[in-house]
């Protein structure tokens, strides 16, 4: 059960491997239409989450930029996963730029207050 979207100038690469319980978003995220960008991701998850056992995902976020529409869509995606009973371990990658994680600040506060989300900070970039 795999899903892949290649990155563009405005959208991140997305890799989901439900067999390995991994979900990666890497790159800049400021799509022209955030709802349209996230729609196939949500559709894939809706179709395949019932097969996820146990219901947990390691969400790796290496987003160098996240605009407000994408931030809202990401929040809705995480909320959807949690509503489906999925436990999340979110790994946030610091990269090399000091301001890369500023876009996550509001999301992190909400996620940290939710007992179903574990947040882990990592230096550098995602390694396969």
């Amino acid at each position: 059960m795999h899903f892949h979207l290649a990155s563009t100038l405005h959208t991140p690469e997305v890799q989901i491997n439900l067999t390995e319980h991994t979900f990666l978003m890497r790159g800049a995220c400021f799509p022209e239409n955030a709802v349209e960008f996230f729609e196939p991701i949500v559709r894939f998850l809706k179709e395949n989450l019932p097969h996820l056992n146990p219901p947990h995902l390691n969400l790796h976020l290496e987003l160098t930029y996240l605009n407000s529409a994408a931030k809202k869509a990401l929040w809705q995606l995480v909320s959807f996963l949690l509503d489906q009973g999925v436990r999340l371990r979110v790994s946030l990658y610091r990269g090399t730029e000091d301001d890369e994680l500023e876009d996550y600040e509001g999301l992190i506060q909400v996620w940290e207050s939710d007992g179903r989300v574990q947040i882990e900070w990592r230096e550098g970039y995602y390694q396969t």
Side-chain angles (χ1 to χ4, degrees):
M1 292 180 286
H2 302 276
F3 178 87
H4 183 260
L5 284 177
S7 65
T8 69
L9 288 175
H10 304 284
T11 61
E13 174 186 13
V14 177
Q15 293 182 37
I16 303 173
N17 183 333
L18 293 180
T19 305
E20 295 182 9
H21 303 275
T22 59
F23 184 157
L24 168 68
M25 294 184 74
R26 173 180 21 208
C29 192
F30 55 104
E32 186 173 313
N33 183 329
V35 173
E36 185 177 292
F37 171 73
F38 278 87
E39 191 275 328
I41 299 167
V42 172
R43 184 176 56 244
F44 171 81
L45 291 168
K46 281 182 179 180
E47 292 171 359
N48 292 286
L49 279 178
H51 309 290
L52 187 63
N53 194 12
H56 76 275
L57 280 174
N58 299 311
L59 176 57
H60 299 274
L61 295 176
E62 187 184 300
L63 298 172
T64 56
Y65 177 73
L66 186 66
N67 71 5
S68 58
K71 187 185 304 184
K72 180 180 178 181
L74 180 58
W75 180 82
Q76 290 172 334
L77 175 65
V78 168
S79 295
F80 164 75
L81 289 169
L82 295 174
D83 290 345
Q84 301 303 306
V86 176
R87 291 182 319 277
L88 290 175
R89 170 182 278 158
V90 178
S91 296
L92 298 168
Y93 294 83
R94 297 184 198 268
T96 58
E97 302 296 323
D98 290 335
D99 62 349
E100 282 185 14
L101 295 178
E102 289 177 5
D103 298 330
Y104 294 113
E105 288 177 358
L107 295 173
I108 292 167
Q109 291 173 356
V110 172
W111 293 343
E112 285 180 327
S113 67
D114 192 311
R116 300 167 293 176
V117 179
Q118 179 183 0
I119 296 179
E120 176 181 45
W121 298 89
R122 294 188 177 184
E123 297 297 327
Y125 299 101
Y126 177 77
Q127 300 291 317
T128 56

